[in-house]
Amino acid sequence: MDHQQMALIHIFSWSAAIILFVIAYVMIKQNKQEKPIKILQMTLRLFYVLVIATGADLFFRFYFGVQSEYFAESIIKLIAGVWVIAAMEMTLAKAKKGKREFAGWLQLAFALTIALALGFGRLPFGFLP
């Protein structure tokens, strides 16, 4: 599989994860039944695994190596990507418990901005100048 196909699978995976996250959050806030939310969260976690697997494949195939010109940016994007997943999980967990989830949303927005800016703007395979 070439880099463009892997990048597309990665983009599809994190896009689906964000959509599932929003649906799960809305369902939690609407006090829907517990079982559908749990199924949705398990599906979301499966997409987390896909995001991490495809991201790791892209990282180790194309960015790994200290001599790579994009090594530092790819490390920061990797950390931001894992941070996005952690913030999504934290936000859903706090929403389920009825606690304030502002910190989770703030972290999610910050980490997602970093990951998107590096992924689409700075690193290869992005389309922004």
Side-chain angles (χ1 to χ4, degrees):
M1 192 174 302
D2 70 343
H3 60 81
Q4 289 177 333
Q5 290 173 327
M6 187 57 67
L8 285 175
I9 293 170
H10 184 66
I11 291 168
F12 169 77
S13 298
W14 62 253
S15 299
I18 289 172
I19 291 167
L20 289 172
F21 165 76
V22 170
I23 293 170
Y25 181 79
V26 169
M27 287 178 70
I28 289 170
K29 285 302 194 178
Q30 291 178 348
N31 292 321
K32 297 288 185 185
Q33 293 178 358
E34 183 68 25
K35 190 169 184 171
I37 294 171
K38 190 170 213 96
I39 292 170
L40 190 60
Q41 281 188 291
M42 287 297 137
T43 307
L44 178 58
R45 289 176 182 141
L46 175 66
F47 274 95
Y48 292 157
V49 171
L50 286 172
V51 169
I52 291 171
T54 57
D57 183 72
L58 286 169
F59 175 75
F60 285 112
R61 254 206 258 181
F62 303 108
Y63 306 125
F64 189 69
V66 179
Q67 62 272 36
S68 170
E69 113 182 60
Y70 299 106
F71 184 71
E73 289 97 337
S74 63
I75 291 289
I76 293 169
K77 183 182 181 303
L78 186 137
I79 292 168
V82 172
W83 188 8
V84 167
I85 291 172
M88 290 166 90
E89 275 294 302
M90 180 177 67
T91 303
L92 288 179
K94 287 192 178 216
K96 258 182 138 173
K97 293 177 183 176
K99 295 182 178 179
R100 288 183 40 152
E101 63 266 357
F102 177 75
W105 282 109
L106 188 63
Q107 289 184 47
L108 178 59
F110 186 70
L112 189 60
T113 301
I114 292 171
L116 289 175
L118 285 173
F120 286 124
R122 176 71 180 128
L123 295 173
F125 318 130
F127 55 84
L128 297 177

